[in-house]
Amino acid sequence: MIQVNTKNCSAFVPKDYFSLREDALSQAQAWLQDATGEGNDFVGWVHLPRDYDREEFARIKAAAQKIQAQSAALVVIGIGGSYLGARGVIEALCSPNYNQKQKDTPNIYFAGNTLSTDALTEIAELIGEQDFSINVISKSGTTTEPAISFRFFRELCEKKYGKEGARERIYATTDAKRGVLKALSDAEGYETFVVPDSVGGRYSVLTAVGLLPIAVCGIDIDALMAGAANMMENCAQGGAQCPAWQYAAARSALYECGKKVEILACYEPSFRFMAEWWKQLYGESEGKDGKGLFPASVEFTADLHSMGQYIQQGERLMFETVVRYDQPRTTLTVPFDESNGDGLNFLAGKDMSFVNEQAMDGTLLAHVEGGVPNLIVRAARNDAQNMGELIYFFEYACGLSGYLLGVNPFNQPGVESYKKNMFALLGKPGYEDMRAALLEKLGK
Ligand code: PA5
């Protein structure tokens, strides 16, 4: 089970910070469990590991097998909550170098998360002559980035396989009933999977949104859901022993004591996109009404040689949350070198994980000493079961945190502002007046 160690933040917060928040946590707990708080239309993820649609889950597995049999590449088209979770889990459990590895499963190319021409062109080049399938993921079906990418790859797919053939290779994950992507998929006969109405994008990794691409890579999605279910049961109990309560209380107390930035750190480079997923989860859930911790991330030890300087001695505005794994997946000992030119023979024969652990502890002590409180989130190992626990832990703590902060953790009204400007500037019908006003502001 995930454990949270708050010892290294106690010098920075009042002694009774947890008990001061117990009533608010109980209230937040009830709002999440009974779906009675603000944003209650979007708490379908709370009981998802227990209530998920078994029939659809079986179809996800079957579709993953079909994609594995038919294709050497899968293009996963989506952005934000329709992208980051799958990429985070795949990179963490398979590797950021997954596509370069020898394997029986298809390469995965993530598209639709940018408007860069170069990025889109490169994916098409990388796919080259390989057989490919497409999983287009958009809850709304109207998000510009994935919609444009889908046009592009759908055309490629239809040119290569014909309309009939493309139908066997395109999978859409979208709303159950509404939206242009659902309508198009029904008209074209694509197999569809559902983003439940009650699950917002950033809480959707354990739905078909994340599960289909994750299963295509050969990751055990039963274990992922079992891990999430374990954590769900733990969170449903709540209380002082619940890691999600501990984390939510500590970060709330640190925020109120002036720490405005939370840096998520991990000493496994493969965790990088899980941190991106976490940033969206917390940034979109808390950053509103002029409030909220700013979520940032670093990759240690690499960033100790860059951002480490600022963390140690810059503005004292942040705390760190470090994800640690008890056991590495592989072992590797430091070689003995006769000449000992680098003076490192004192480490010869030691496991790399021992060296990494000393770096973690040394950094922790230095940063705490430098005024950066440190929370540790500990998982037994980096596998599907623990990943399921970790995902649910962060989601639940995020829901609690938003309510403690006094915001609706399940909306994202701010995301619309740039979209409206972009549509107006692109000349979308209906935005004519806005376009004129924006062009004047831009001096164009
Ligand atoms: O969390 C969110 O709601 C957003 O980040 C969305 O996931 C993102 O904008 C993609 O939306 P959609 O799935 O509707 O294309």
Side-chain angles (χ1 to χ4, degrees):
M1 185 60 67
I2 302 294
Q3 288 178 350
V4 172
N5 181 337
T6 58
K7 193 176 131 226
N8 294 293
C9 78
S10 51
F12 300 87
V13 291
K15 271 197 167 25
D16 52 354
Y17 80 90
F18 188 88
S19 56
L20 283 174
R21 284 168 178 75
E22 261 183 313
D23 286 349
L25 280 164
S26 296
Q27 176 64 82
Q29 174 86 359
W31 284 335
L32 289 178
Q33 291 295 326
D34 309 335
T36 45
E38 225 191 329
N40 58 350
D41 286 352
F42 291 98
V43 292
W45 56 272
V46 172
H47 298 117
L48 185 78
R50 181 193 69 197
D51 297 342
Y52 66 90
D53 179 342
R54 264 58 181 184
E55 182 275 330
E56 182 177 69
F57 196 76
R59 276 200 306 118
I60 290 172
K61 287 183 181 172
Q65 280 175 6
K66 186 171 160 194
I67 294 167
Q68 289 166 347
Q70 270 188 331
S71 292
L74 173 68
V75 186
V76 179
I77 301 175
I79 195 165
S82 293
Y83 155 60
L84 290 165
R87 184 158 185 182
V89 172
I90 291 167
E91 291 208 359
L93 296 183
C94 295
S95 164
N97 303 313
Y98 167 79
N99 281 358
Q100 283 79 55
K101 287 185 142 184
Q102 288 284 346
K103 57 193 178 301
D104 300 328
T105 49
N107 285 339
I108 302 285
Y109 297 99
F110 291 99
N113 52 65
T114 171
L115 290 170
S116 157
T117 320
D118 294 350
L120 195 59
T121 310
E122 187 176 70
I123 294 175
E125 283 169 6
L126 288 170
I127 291 172
E129 295 307 310
Q130 293 178 86
D131 279 315
F132 70 97
S133 298
I134 298 172
N135 180 200
V136 55
I137 309 168
S138 178
K139 185 174 183 184
S140 63
T142 55
T143 310
T144 312
E145 292 90 337
I148 291 179
S149 285
F150 183 46
R151 277 191 176 212
F152 183 78
F153 284 105
R154 186 175 151 222
E155 186 179 81
L156 271 186
C157 196
E158 287 180 353
K159 273 192 185 144
K160 185 164 174 151
Y161 302 105
K163 261 200 171 285
E164 282 296 316
R167 184 167 299 151
E168 292 300 311
R169 292 172 174 274
I170 297 178
Y171 302 82
T173 306
T174 188
D175 191 274
K177 299 191 190 85
R178 289 180 301 263
V180 287
L181 183 55
K182 175 65 181 161
L184 173 78
S185 303
D186 288 347
E188 296 290 335
Y190 304 148
E191 178 159 15
T192 57
F193 297 96
V194 172
V195 193
D197 276 347
S198 59
V199 181
R202 59 188 175 276
Y203 293 85
S204 69
V205 57
L206 298 175
T207 71
V209 169
L211 294 177
L212 179 56
I214 289 169
V216 169
C217 295
I219 293 167
D220 182 349
I221 59 172
D222 286 297
L224 195 69
M225 294 307 281
N230 270 351
M231 187 50 74
M232 182 192 77
E233 278 169 27
N234 181 296
C235 290
Q237 303 301 317
Q241 300 312 313
C242 171
W245 277 45
Q246 293 165 352
Y247 179 49
R251 57 197 300 287
S252 160
L254 288 163
Y255 179 65
E256 283 185 13
C257 291
K259 301 297 183 188
K260 303 296 183 198
V261 176
E262 178 176 9
I263 304 177
L264 189 75
C266 185
Y267 287 72
E268 291 297 334
S270 64
F271 197 78
R272 180 170 156 214
F273 265 87
M274 281 308 295
E276 296 300 321
W277 168 82
W278 172 89
K279 284 194 279 194
Q280 184 198 357
L281 181 63
Y282 280 80
E284 272 191 347
S285 298
E286 292 189 302
K288 52 197 71 157
D289 305 341
K291 298 192 271 195
L293 278 158
F294 181 86
S297 65
V298 287
E299 189 184 306
F300 286 162
T301 59
D303 288 336
L304 289 173
H305 300 260
S306 55
M307 293 302 289
Q309 171 57 37
Y310 192 105
I311 296 170
Q312 190 68 48
Q313 293 182 326
E315 285 261 12
R316 302 299 69 197
L317 46 72
M318 79 278 281
F319 67 93
E320 272 174 348
T321 298
V322 182
V323 175
R324 286 192 181 201
Y325 293 105
D326 286 342
Q327 291 164 23
R329 282 201 296 229
T330 54
T331 55
L332 189 66
T333 48
V334 178
F336 178 78
D337 176 6
E338 198 69 52
S339 70
N340 198 24
D342 54 12
L344 289 178
N345 268 354
F346 75 101
L347 292 176
K350 295 259 194 289
D351 201 276
M352 280 290 290
S353 62
F354 167 79
V355 183
N356 209 13
E357 203 177 320
Q358 308 322 303
M360 289 184 220
D361 287 344
T363 305
L364 182 152
L365 294 173
H367 287 182
V368 172
E369 182 75 21
V372 180
N374 193 294
L375 297 169
I376 299 172
V377 174
R378 193 176 271 283
R381 62 185 73 79
N382 186 15
D383 61 13
Q385 165 104 13
N386 280 275
M387 181 58 80
E389 284 189 15
L390 194 64
I391 287 170
Y392 192 90
F393 159 78
F394 275 130
E395 288 180 349
Y396 201 81
C398 187
L400 293 174
S401 293
Y403 284 142
L404 284 188
L405 187 65
V407 300
N408 174 353
F410 306 114
N411 66 2
Q412 56 285 329
V415 178
E416 294 310 310
S417 306
Y418 102 90
K419 284 188 192 167
K420 282 185 198 144
N421 284 355
M422 182 178 71
F423 288 145
L425 291 170
L426 284 169
K428 187 170 177 172
Y431 287 75
E432 292 77 6
D433 290 350
M434 195 171 165
R435 175 176 158 80
L438 293 180
L439 287 176
E440 197 183 323
K441 275 191 196 165
L442 288 169
K444 284 189 175 173

